[in-house]
Amino acid sequence: MAKKFSVVGKPVIREDGIDKVTGKAKFADDYKFNGMLHAVMLRIPCAHAKINSIDFSEIQNDESVFSIITNKDIPGTKKVGVIKNDQPVFCNEKVVTPGDVLGMIVGQSEEKLRSLVNKIKVDYSTLPLLTDPQKSLEPDAILIHPETKSNLIIHHPLRKGNVEKGFTESDHILEQTYTTQLIEHAYIEPEAVSAIPLGAGGIKIIGSIQNPFTTRRIVAAVVNLPLDKVQIIQAHLGGSFGGKDDTMCILAARAAVAALKTDHPVKIRYTREESILESYKRHPYILNYKVGFAKTGKIKAMRIDILADGGAYCSMSPFVTWRSVVQATGPYEIKNVHTDVRAVYTNNPYTGAMRGFGSPQPIFANESLMDEIALRLGMTPDEVRKINGLKEGSITATGQRLKNHDVNLLNVLSTAMKNTDFKKKWINNKKKESQLGELDLSQPVLKDSQYMNPDQLIKKGIGLAISYRGCSLGAEGIDAAAAYLSIQNDGSAYLLSGLAENGQGLRTTFSIVAAEVLGISHEQIFYLETDTSRVPDSGPTVASRATLMGGGAVKNAAEIILDRLISLIRKEWKLKKKDEIEFKENKIFVNKNKISTFPDLCKLAANRGVNLATIGWYKSPTVDWNEHTGQGDAYFTYVYGCHVAEVQVNLGTGEVYLDRITAVHDPGTVINKLGAEGQVYGGVTQGAGYGIIEEVTTDRGVIREQNFDQYLILTSKDIGEIKPIFIQGKEIFGPWGAKSLGEPTLELTAAAISNAVCNAVGKRFFNLPLNLEEIVLGKKLRPEEIKRGSLQ
Amino acid sequence: MKTSIEILTPKTLTEILGILSERQEILTLIAGGTDVITGLKQESKRFKDTEVLVDVNHVPELKEIKHMPEKITIGAAATFSEIYNNSIVSNELPILKKAVSTIGSMQIRNRATIAGNFVNNAPCADTVPALLVYNATIEIESMNSKRETYLQEFLQGPYKTQLKKDEVVTKINIPVPTKSFTGDFYKLGRRRAVAISRITLAVLMELKENKINKIRIASGSVTPIGTRFPELEIFAMENDVNDNLFKTLASRMGEEIIKITGLRWSSAYKLPVVQQMFYQLLKGIERRSL
Ligand SMILES: Cc1cc2nc3c(=O)[nH]c(=O)nc-3n(C[C@H](O)[C@H](O)[C@H](O)COP(=O)(O)OP(=O)(O)OC[C@H]3O[C@@H](n4cnc5c(N)ncnc54)[C@H](O)[C@@H]3O)c2cc1C
C-alpha cells in the first residue's frame, strides 16, 4: 500500500441506506403499471407425477380470469437452466418436485385468482419417489429425467500423487463421515417481477433479480426475442444470498410469456410459502474423508468422496461442486489427494447457488477432521494446521503453486489466536471424555446419578476453522466486467456497472473506487439503476467477484477519464513533463499549488470538446483446468480467513450459546470499512445459523417449513459479539488489490462452532446442524406432522 | 384468507357485551390479534365462521392493573409490555414478569395481551404456568351474567376453554403472594427470541425451617395444555429441602408427564430435559433463598 488513500478503507455509509430504512426505496413489488394483471401459479401437492390432463373448464369462463397460460403459449425454449436446460418453464408432462408449476392464470385480482386456482382439475398419476441421494446412482434407481439416462448431474474427479502410497507411509489413519443439511436463503423479500410489453420494442422486465444478464438470456430464449429486445431492470433487492438467480429467471420468463400473450403488464409475486416451496436451496452433502498422517502431524494422503443432493434440477450443481472439489482438502498442502465429488438428481427441492457455494460443507468436514488429527496426536488445533497449512509457494490439491499475492493463511490464524487467547482457553476447556450423559430411551425417567451439578451444567469451549477460497469464477467460465462512467460538466458523475447491487453495498464501493481515482467525493457520484440496456454484460454477480472484477472495471473507467483530464491540463496550462498533477479534495494541484477545482475543470473539458464518458473493462487472467485429473490453476488468486468461536454448551438442554465469534479475513485491500464489517456481521450470523439451527426438512419431497414460524434463523439475540479483523494482504489484481469477502465470512462459522462445541463437551458432532436434539441425543428428531394444532 | 372482515371498536364494556349478545356465531373477540390474525391468514378452522372482529382494546377498564388489599387485578387487555413495565407486577409477581419477558419479541409484546394468551390456550402459552402457580382466577362477563373461576378450571384442552360465545374475560385476579414465597420461571426455546417454547416451568414455594411449607408447580408445552402437578405438590409438602428431594420430584414429574401424554416423537428429547431442567430450577431457587 504505497499510496495514501483519501476514501478507500474509510467507513462510508451506503448510499441507499437512508432510502431503505425510511421506506422510500422501491422494491420489485412496489412497481405498478396501468392495466397491470397478476399471474397465479398452478401446482400439485406431489413431488413426482405424470400429468394426464389439466381441466380448466370450471374457471375458464370466470370473469376474473383474463388468460390461461401453459406450455403451449411459450414461443421459444420450453426448458431452461443456468447451466443445463432441464427445467421446464411450465411442466406439461410431469412434475419432479413440488415447487413445479403447471401453468398460470392471469387476471386483475390476484386474490380472486388465488381462490380460483384450486378449482382447476389436474388429473395426474403419482410416480415412485427418489428422495435418498445415496440411492440415486443404484442401477435400478428411477430416473428423474429419463432422457439423461442417469441421475448423475456431474462428477468431478481430482487425482494428485498416489494416495495408497501415502496411506502406507502414514502412522495414523482416520476415516469419518460428515453430513450437512438443506437450508433456505431466507432473504427478507419474497420474489416479485413484472413484465411490460413494449410492442416493437420487445419486453421490459423489472424485478427482484440478482443476475440481470442471466435473466435476459433466459427470457430472450423463452420468448424468442434477440437480447436487445429484452430489457431487464433490477429493482432494489431485499436480499438474495445467491438465491434470486434461477428462480427469478424462470419467473421473469413466465411473466414475459403472459405479458406478450395478453399485451398487458403482468406481475408475479410470491407469498413466503411459494417462495420457500419453489426456490432452490443449499446442497446437502454427505462427505466421506479418509486421511493418513505421520506422528509429526504431517498429512500424507487424503481420500475424499462427496455426494451432493442436487434435487430435481441441475441448476448450479456443476459449479457448486466444482468449488468443492478444488477446496475439499481445506487450505493444506497434501502430496497425495484423491477426490470425487458427485451431484445427483432426486425428487427433493432443487439446490443451487447460495452464499458459500460449495465451500461451507467441505469446510465443516475438513476442519472437524483437522481437530480430530490434533486430538489424536495430542497437539493443539493450530499446531497441526501450521504444519500443513498453505504458505507462499505451496502447491494446492489441484497442483497450483500459490504466488503473486500474500499467502496469509497462517497470518490470519495467528492473528485470530492472539486476539482470543486461543491456546490457553482451548487447553483449559479441553475434556478427556464426553460430558454428555448417555440417555437410555427405554428408561425415560432419570436416575439420581443423571442429574447434573448446577455448576457443571454449562461448559465453555473454543474452536477455530481456517480456509482458503478461490476468488471469482475461476475455471467456471469467462470472467470480465464493465463499468460506465460519465462525468457531467459540473463535476458530478453517473456510474453504472454490469454487476448488480444485491444488498452487499456495491454501489457505494464502486463510487468510492471512482472517487478515489478522481480525487472527488463519493457523494458526487450518482449510481444509476441496473439496466441491461445501459451497460455491457458483465457476467453474474456471484462468487464474491463484484469488488474484484467490477471494482477493477470502475477503476479502469475512472483512470481513462483521469488521463483525458490530465492531457487537457497539460495543454491548457502548458505544463512540462516533470510537473506533477494531483487530483485531491475536488481540486486540482500542480506541484502542490491549486490551479483549478474539479467542477471547473469539467466545465473546461466540456468547452474544449473532451469526452468525459467511457466504459471501463476488467478481464481476469486466464486460469486452466483439466477436468479428468482435477489439476490446474483453478483460480487466479485466493483469500484466507480464520474464525474463532467461543461458546457455552448447556449439557442439560443441548443449547449452544454463541458468546463471541472473532472473524479474521484477508480480503486484500478493504474499500469500504463499514461495508466490509457489515459483510462479516451478516455472514457470521448466517454461518452460525447453519451451524446450530437452520434446516429445511422434507416429507416425501415436500418442504415442511414453509414460513418463518417453522423455518428458524438466528435473531440478533442469539449471537453475542462478532469481532471483524482485517489483514490486508498484497495483491496484484482488483482495484488496489481488493479481492473477496462476502462468502468467506459465512463459510467458516459452522465449522468453528462445531470445533468449539467439541472442546466444550468432549464429544465430536458429525451432522449439521448442532441443534438441541443433536447435542443431547446425538440425532435429529422429526415429528411426523408439523401442522400447527392451532389450525385444527 | 377471507376477502373481507368487519371490525367493531366498542368503547365500553357494556357495548362489548351488547354486541356479543347476538350474532355470536360470526363474532370473534380480538385484542392484540397476534393469534387471531395469524389464525385467519392460515385459515385455521377455529375462525372459519368469523365475519366480524370485536376489538377490546378501546375499553380503558380492561387495561388497568391494580393493587387491591388481598389481590392484584390485571385487566384482560393489558399487553405484555404494559405488564412487564408495571411496578406492581415487578414487586409482587416476579414469576409472571419473567414469563412475560420471554414472549415473542418487543413488537409482539407491545400488542399481545394476557387474556389473549390463555383464551387462545395453546400448549405453549407462556403465561399459563406462571398464572397457574399464582392461583389466578379470572372474571368473565356476559350481558346477563358475571362469574369468577380458577384459570385452571377455565382451561379445558388445547385451544379450548370454558368461554361461551357471548362472554368476555374482563380481568385476572391474583392473590397477593406473601413475602415468604420464592420461585422461578423457566423457558426453553430453539432460540432466544421469537421462540415457541419447547418447555416452560413455573414454581412457587414457601420454605419453613428448611421444609417445604407450600409448593405449586406448573409446566407448559410438555403436556397438552399448561398444567399444575397436584400429586407432586402433595408429595413435596413437609419434606426436608435437600438434593434428594429435588431429584425425586424431578423424576416424579417425568412419570406424571408420561402418564398424561404417553410417549411421543418429542419425548426422547423433552422428557429427560424437562426433568433435568426442573431439577436445575429447584436448585436455583434453593440457592437464592439461602
Ligand atoms: C411472532 C409471534 C410470536 C409469539 N411468541 C409467543 C411466545 O413467545 N409465547 C406465547 O405464549 N405466545 C406467543 N405468541 C402467541 C400470542 O402472541 C399470544 O398467545 C398472545 O398472548 C395472544 O394475545 P392477543 O392479545 O394477541 O390475542 P388475540 O389474537 O387478539 O386473541 C387470541 C384469542 O383470545 C380471544 N380473546 C382475546 N381477548 C379476549 C377477552 N378479553 N376475552 C375473551 N376472549 C378474548 C380471541 O377471541 C382469540 O380467540 C406469539 C405470536 C406471534 C405472532
Side-chain angles (χ1 to χ4, degrees):
Chain A
M1 267 198 295
K3 187 171 154 49
K4 223 175 147 269
F5 292 119
S6 56
V7 246
V8 164
K10 307 243 154 71
V12 175
I13 293 177
R14 46 186 307 153
E15 52 103 60
D16 53 359
I18 302 284
D19 279 355
K20 280 183 173 163
V21 297
T22 55
K24 290 195 188 99
K26 269 180 119 180
F27 291 85
D29 190 29
D30 296 328
Y31 288 87
K32 295 186 174 68
F33 306 92
N34 279 339
M36 185 176 90
L37 304 174
H38 286 273
V40 166
M41 308 296 127
L42 170 65
R43 298 193 182 87
I44 53 173
C46 179
H48 204 188
K50 186 173 163 309
I51 315 286
N52 303 321
S53 64
I54 308 177
D55 176 5
F56 292 99
S57 58
E58 204 167 314
I59 61 128
Q60 64 195 8
N61 295 324
D62 193 295
E63 55 178 19
S64 309
V65 179
F66 189 92
S67 182
I68 293 169
I69 311 284
T70 65
N71 180 272
K72 290 193 207 78
D73 299 303
I74 299 175
T77 318
K78 291 180 197 266
K79 281 188 178 181
V80 298
V82 286
I83 296 180
K84 189 171 162 189
N85 291 340
D86 64 352
Q87 186 170 9
V89 178
F90 298 111
C91 298
N92 63 326
E93 287 165 4
K94 59 177 211 163
V95 303
V96 290
T97 193
D100 279 345
V101 169
L102 286 68
M104 310 191 292
I105 49 177
V106 178
Q108 257 174 19
S109 161
E110 187 187 26
E111 216 167 273
K112 291 241 175 68
L113 296 175
R114 285 194 189 276
S115 67
L116 286 174
V117 75
N118 299 324
K119 297 192 176 149
I120 302 167
K121 291 199 196 74
V122 182
D123 178 30
Y124 60 91
S125 325
T126 55
L127 296 169
L129 275 182
L130 173 63
T131 53
D132 179 357
Q134 287 171 289
K135 298 214 168 95
S136 64
L137 295 179
E138 287 177 359
D140 57 347
I142 53 149
L143 293 176
I144 306 299
H145 301 285
E147 64 280 10
T148 60
K149 307 275 190 296
S150 153
N151 289 321
L152 185 68
I153 298 174
I154 190 81
H155 171 207
H156 295 295
L158 180 152
R159 307 287 181 259
K160 182 189 176 203
N162 179 343
V163 279
E164 290 316 323
K165 190 159 161 278
F167 288 133
T168 49
E169 287 167 13
S170 301
D171 300 317
H172 299 268
I173 304 274
L174 255 176
E175 263 189 279
Q176 303 288 22
T177 299
Y178 306 86
T179 66
T180 67
Q181 77 281 30
L182 187 71
I183 65 165
E184 156 70 22
H185 301 80
Y187 26 79
I188 195 166
E189 175 206 27
E191 295 78 357
V193 63
S194 298
I196 304 107
L198 300 178
I203 191 139
K204 178 158 113 181
I205 309 261
I206 300 181
S208 54
I209 292 164
Q210 176 180 340
N211 294 317
F213 289 98
T214 318
T215 305
R216 184 179 65 159
R217 169 167 66 79
I218 286 178
V219 171
V222 171
V223 297
N224 206 12
L225 283 173
L227 293 176
D228 67 344
K229 291 281 164 59
V230 178
Q231 181 190 3
I232 312 281
I233 294 172
Q234 186 199 34
H236 274 293
L237 198 66
S240 177
F241 312 112
K244 285 172 177 164
D245 193 6
D246 314 36
T247 317
M248 285 315 303
C249 292
I250 227 168
L251 257 67
R254 287 181 195 145
V257 170
L260 291 174
K261 181 177 177 192
T262 60
D263 204 21
H264 277 261
V266 173
K267 182 188 273 187
I268 298 175
R269 54 173 179 185
Y270 274 181
T271 60
R272 178 63 62 188
E273 286 78 5
E274 284 180 292
S275 169
I276 293 186
L277 181 68
E278 186 176 333
S279 70
Y280 53 93
K281 311 271 178 278
R282 189 191 300 289
H283 291 74
Y285 274 26
I286 299 165
L287 311 103
N288 291 300
Y289 275 68
K290 178 176 177 182
V291 60
F293 49 99
K295 287 195 283 266
T296 57
K298 180 73 194 156
I299 297 173
K300 296 285 183 184
M302 200 180 265
R303 181 194 282 279
I304 304 167
D305 188 73
I306 294 176
L307 184 67
D309 185 354
Y313 297 111
C314 169
S315 181
M316 278 289 179
S317 286
F319 291 170
V320 170
T321 51
W322 181 70
R323 186 173 284 278
S324 306
V325 81
V326 174
Q327 295 173 184
T329 57
Y332 305 107
E333 188 161 17
I334 303 171
K335 212 162 169 195
N336 307 297
V337 183
H338 181 116
T339 307
D340 290 291
V341 184
R342 292 179 180 83
V344 294
Y345 285 123
T346 63
N347 289 118
N348 293 324
Y350 77 114
T351 48
M354 180 170 183
R355 189 178 189 181
F357 203 80
S359 72
Q361 302 96 328
I363 289 175
F364 167 63
N366 70 54
E367 288 303 276
S368 297
L369 197 61
M370 291 308 283
D371 267 29
E372 287 291 279
I373 295 174
L375 287 170
R376 174 76 70 94
L377 296 175
M379 292 180 167
T380 54
D382 58 305
E383 283 169 337
V384 59
R385 286 173 173 84
K386 281 179 190 146
I387 291 166
N388 297 286
L390 296 169
K391 304 162 191 80
E392 191 85 45
S394 287
I395 310 277
T396 69
T398 74
Q400 178 173 9
R401 182 178 294 279
L402 295 175
K403 51 178 194 226
N404 291 337
H405 67 279
D406 286 343
V407 180
N408 263 333
L409 181 74
L410 299 182
N411 200 353
V412 295
L413 172 64
S414 52
T415 305
M417 291 190 41
K418 232 177 277 151
N419 266 280
T420 53
D421 201 6
F422 183 88
K423 206 161 190 156
K424 197 169 124 208
K425 289 180 187 165
W426 191 85
I427 290 168
N428 279 346
N429 293 330
K430 196 179 144 190
K431 309 294 180 312
K432 284 209 184 66
E433 54 188 35
S434 172
Q435 307 293 297
L436 290 152
E438 289 292 318
L439 289 170
D440 179 357
L441 295 185
S442 63
Q443 299 286 330
V445 176
L446 294 189
K447 292 196 277 293
D448 281 4
S449 60
Q450 290 177 290
Y451 289 101
M452 296 172 204
N453 178 339
D455 299 323
Q456 299 296 322
L457 186 70
I458 289 173
K459 299 287 180 194
K460 279 192 175 186
I462 189 167
L464 63 77
I466 60 176
S467 74
Y468 79 132
R469 182 179 183 92
C471 296
S472 200
L473 302 175
E476 277 174 31
I478 299 299
D479 205 354
Y484 165 70
L485 178 64
S486 169
I487 314 284
Q488 310 305 300
N489 60 18
D490 64 352
S492 65
Y494 291 125
L495 177 62
L496 179 63
S497 86
L499 295 168
E501 172 64 72
N502 295 332
Q504 77 280 52
L506 158 160
R507 295 167 175 222
T508 308
T509 300
F510 288 179
S511 298
I512 292 172
V513 170
E516 184 71 47
V517 172
L518 296 171
I520 60 177
S521 161
H522 59 93
E523 285 168 1
Q524 270 161 273
I525 297 170
F526 180 66
Y527 197 95
L528 296 167
E529 190 173 63
T530 298
D531 178 339
T532 53
S533 68
R534 302 288 141 92
V535 65
D537 186 348
S538 301
T541 307
V542 298
S544 305
R545 69 189 275 270
T547 301
L548 169 61
M549 300 300 300
V554 171
K555 183 159 177 273
N556 176 242
E559 282 168 351
I560 290 171
I561 292 194
L562 184 71
D563 281 349
R564 291 179 192 162
L565 288 171
I566 287 177
S567 306
L568 174 70
I569 295 169
R570 289 200 183 279
K571 224 159 122 195
E572 285 287 325
W573 276 271
K574 303 196 174 56
L575 299 185
K576 305 217 176 62
K577 259 246 157 69
K578 64 172 191 357
D579 290 325
E580 249 177 60
I581 304 172
E582 202 183 355
F583 284 61
K584 211 171 72 184
E585 291 159 7
N586 217 18
K587 298 179 199 79
I588 320 297
F589 298 85
V590 171
N591 301 329
K592 312 256 184 266
N593 300 315
K594 181 183 152 202
I595 57 151
S596 181
T597 64
F598 189 76
D600 287 345
L601 182 64
C602 293
K603 201 172 291 153
L604 179 72
N607 289 338
R608 296 288 184 269
V610 178
N611 172 11
L612 291 189
T614 190
I615 297 230
W617 191 252
Y618 193 79
K619 189 176 172 316
S620 74
T622 43
V623 288
D624 77 280
W625 185 251
N626 178 328
E627 62 188 43
H628 303 292
T629 59
Q631 295 294 292
D633 289 354
Y635 296 95
F636 61 86
T637 191
Y638 291 84
V639 290
Y640 306 90
C642 176
H643 283 190
V644 172
E646 293 174 70
V647 307
Q648 296 182 69
V649 182
N650 184 320
L651 300 177
T653 61
E655 288 163 285
V656 176
Y657 311 119
L658 306 171
D659 290 345
R660 185 190 302 147
I661 310 282
T662 304
V664 184
H665 289 281
D666 173 7
T669 301
V670 171
I671 304 287
N672 181 2
K673 183 154 181 279
L674 210 55
E677 287 170 350
Q679 286 296 316
V680 176
Y681 299 136
V684 164
T685 307
Q686 269 183 319
Y690 184 53
I692 67 169
I693 189 169
E694 287 191 42
E695 182 168 29
V696 171
T697 67
T698 56
D699 176 19
R700 279 151 283 180
V702 182
I703 293 174
R704 307 202 292 180
E705 302 83 3
Q706 292 189 12
N707 208 327
F708 293 137
D709 55 341
Q710 290 176 319
Y711 188 77
L712 301 185
I713 61 174
L714 293 186
T715 71
S716 57
K717 281 200 158 183
D718 295 295
I719 190 155
E721 187 193 358
I722 299 173
K723 201 170 162 192
I725 297 172
F726 300 114
I727 289 182
Q728 306 189 44
K730 276 206 228 43
E731 172 61 57
I732 55 174
F733 300 110
W736 303 285
K739 299 192 265 191
S740 305
L741 182 62
E743 293 171 280
T745 59
L746 182 151
E747 64 188 11
L748 286 156
T749 323
I753 291 171
S754 182
N755 284 337
V757 168
C758 181
N759 183 237
V761 305
K763 180 181 168 193
R764 178 147 302 275
F765 291 90
F766 297 91
N767 308 300
L768 288 183
L770 308 190
N771 64 14
L772 305 178
E773 291 85 354
E774 182 68 35
I775 300 278
V776 172
L777 303 172
K779 63 176 184 188
K780 306 284 185 302
L781 285 185
R782 306 249 188 271
E784 266 153 33
E785 174 67 77
I786 64 164
K787 261 234 177 80
R788 291 254 180 272
S790 61
L791 301 184
Q792 305 310 305
Chain B
M1 186 155 166
K2 290 169 203 270
T3 43
S4 77
I5 270 192
E6 191 185 346
I7 301 181
L8 303 177
T9 51
K11 301 284 180 299
T12 62
L13 182 57
T14 327
E15 234 184 291
I16 296 182
L17 299 177
I19 295 169
L20 290 181
S21 65
E22 47 195 59
R23 298 200 299 168
Q24 293 133 0
E25 331 68 66
I26 60 164
L27 299 180
T28 297
L29 289 172
I30 181 167
T34 57
D35 283 317
V36 170
I37 299 294
T38 49
L40 283 169
K41 164 125 202 291
Q42 296 181 304
E43 296 177 346
S44 166
K45 295 199 183 79
R46 296 191 292 152
F47 304 115
K48 68 176 191 309
D49 300 323
T50 303
E51 287 172 32
V52 180
L53 292 174
V54 184
D55 185 347
V56 301
N57 282 301
H58 302 271
V59 180
E61 62 174 296
L62 291 185
K63 293 203 156 269
E64 279 171 355
I65 302 175
K66 282 190 292 200
H67 202 313
M68 317 289 257
E70 303 278 292
K71 63 182 182 186
I72 294 152
T73 296
I74 300 175
T79 67
F80 292 136
S81 291
E82 285 160 355
I83 293 170
Y84 183 81
N85 293 319
N86 183 278
S87 60
I88 302 168
V89 174
S90 298
N91 292 334
E92 307 284 5
L93 306 172
I95 297 173
L96 179 64
K97 182 173 170 120
K98 190 163 176 190
V100 161
S101 75
T102 67
I103 289 176
S105 58
M106 179 74 82
Q107 293 91 328
I108 293 295
R109 292 192 294 274
N110 283 344
R111 287 206 63 84
T113 65
I114 187 156
N117 200 222
F118 62 74
V119 174
N120 187 60
N121 199 20
C124 55
D126 287 332
T127 60
V128 167
L131 292 172
L132 289 178
V133 297
Y134 281 126
N135 275 343
T137 58
I138 58 174
E139 286 185 34
I140 303 167
E141 284 189 42
S142 73
M143 191 81 135
N144 312 313
S145 75
K146 191 168 177 175
R147 60 190 176 114
E148 181 167 3
T149 170
Y150 277 104
L151 176 64
Q152 206 172 340
E153 284 156 27
F154 178 74
L155 305 176
Q156 298 206 310
Y159 308 97
K160 286 199 180 63
T161 67
Q162 288 180 346
L163 192 77
K164 300 199 193 76
K165 269 295 199 178
D166 62 347
E167 287 180 326
V168 60
V169 177
T170 54
K171 46 175 96 95
I172 295 94
N173 294 319
I174 296 173
V176 181
T178 57
K179 290 288 165 208
S180 53
F181 269 107
T182 155
D184 206 353
F185 176 84
Y186 172 76
K187 168 168 169 169
L188 172 69
R190 289 196 181 273
R191 59 183 176 191
R192 290 188 184 181
V194 211
I196 296 169
S197 49
R198 308 269 294 140
I199 293 173
T200 49
L201 291 166
V203 175
L204 192 67
M205 64 178 162
E206 191 182 54
L207 301 178
K208 218 182 217 166
E209 287 149 16
N210 206 38
K211 278 192 191 326
I212 293 183
N213 192 38
K214 283 188 187 126
I215 186 165
R216 300 183 204 141
I217 302 164
S219 75
S221 290
V222 286
T223 49
I225 57 170
T227 184
R228 283 271 292 269
F229 290 85
E231 284 168 34
L232 215 58
E233 293 172 6
I234 293 165
F235 174 85
M237 297 277 266
E238 307 275 326
N239 261 304
D240 283 347
V241 171
N242 60 35
D243 197 52
N244 272 338
L245 173 69
F246 290 165
K247 286 178 176 164
T248 310
L249 283 176
S251 293
R252 283 199 164 217
M253 175 180 273
E255 286 166 14
E256 295 265 329
I257 292 170
I258 299 173
K259 254 192 261 163
I260 301 168
T261 65
L263 291 175
R264 301 152 48 146
W265 72 269
S266 57
S267 304
Y269 173 81
K270 277 192 177 178
L271 264 177
V273 176
V274 74
Q275 295 170 70
Q276 183 69 255
M277 296 319 287
F278 182 46
Y279 169 75
Q280 299 293 335
L281 191 69
L282 294 170
K283 292 294 275 186
I285 297 170
E286 180 193 23
R287 284 189 177 189
R288 262 175 292 118
S289 39
L290 285 180

